[in-house]
Amino acid sequence: MENNKVVYSETIDCGSVTQLELFRRARLWASQYSSDSKIILADKETGDLVSSGKIQISLPRSENFAGGIYNFRYTLSVECANRKYRSSINHLEVLDNNNPVGTPLESFNLKSEKDQKELLAALDKKIKEILTDLQLNVKDYKAF
């Protein structure tokens, strides 16, 4: 939590890789990661990249829970400088098919606390997978 908002952030040291090369790798990853991703800002001079994407979480039906499919939107920012990059995922919103404006994750609640915890755990796992995939394609980039 940062200013009462959910934020995932990490700084990765990439050894001797230049800022421009880190930016290039991050931009390439963002353009290929998901068909739902959109690059909002890409400034190679400052090394800043901002994109938005969507996450879908399916919860199974149980005896006490109807289950369902939940869609989230997020903003990913990548700042490249000094042979490092900092990635942050924030502005997490729950999307409703009938409303293009999302509900901030911080104010979204399911009826059951158990189901809420299950949904947030699945979302947490998915966000960490995104950050891991970004690292594999930026720090551990395999040249051809």
Side-chain angles (χ1 to χ4, degrees), residues 11-122:
T11 301
I12 304 295
D13 188 332
C14 297
S16 62
V17 182
T18 66
Q19 173 183 316
L20 186 59
E21 180 62 16
L22 288 174
F23 172 78
R24 187 188 75 74
R25 292 174 183 181
R27 185 182 62 202
L28 182 63
W29 175 85
S31 69
Q32 295 175 346
Y33 180 70
S34 169
S35 62
D36 289 332
S37 295
K38 293 181 179 65
I39 295 177
I40 300 168
L41 169 80
D43 186 340
K44 70 178 182 179
E45 298 299 320
T46 62
D48 296 334
L49 174 78
V50 178
S51 69
S52 68
K54 294 180 182 172
I55 297 171
Q56 188 174 78
I57 306 284
S58 297
L59 292 181
R61 180 181 297 249
S62 69
E63 193 173 297
N64 299 322
F65 180 56
I69 297 174
Y70 298 88
N71 293 297
F72 298 88
R73 180 173 43 220
Y74 64 89
T75 300
L76 168 69
S77 59
V78 180
E79 302 165 87
C80 305
N82 301 322
R83 298 175 306 281
K84 297 178 186 175
Y85 76 87
R86 178 174 49 209
S87 57
S88 300
I89 291 181
N90 54 19
H91 299 292
L92 287 152
E93 298 176 321
V94 182
L95 300 176
D96 181 359
N97 293 338
N98 301 328
N99 187 356
V101 177
T103 302
L105 180 63
E106 297 80 10
S107 61
F108 177 76
N109 288 307
L110 293 174
K111 291 178 184 171
S112 160
E113 187 175 324
K114 178 181 173 268
D115 297 330
Q116 180 83 8
K117 285 182 180 179
E118 187 177 338
L119 177 63
L120 293 178

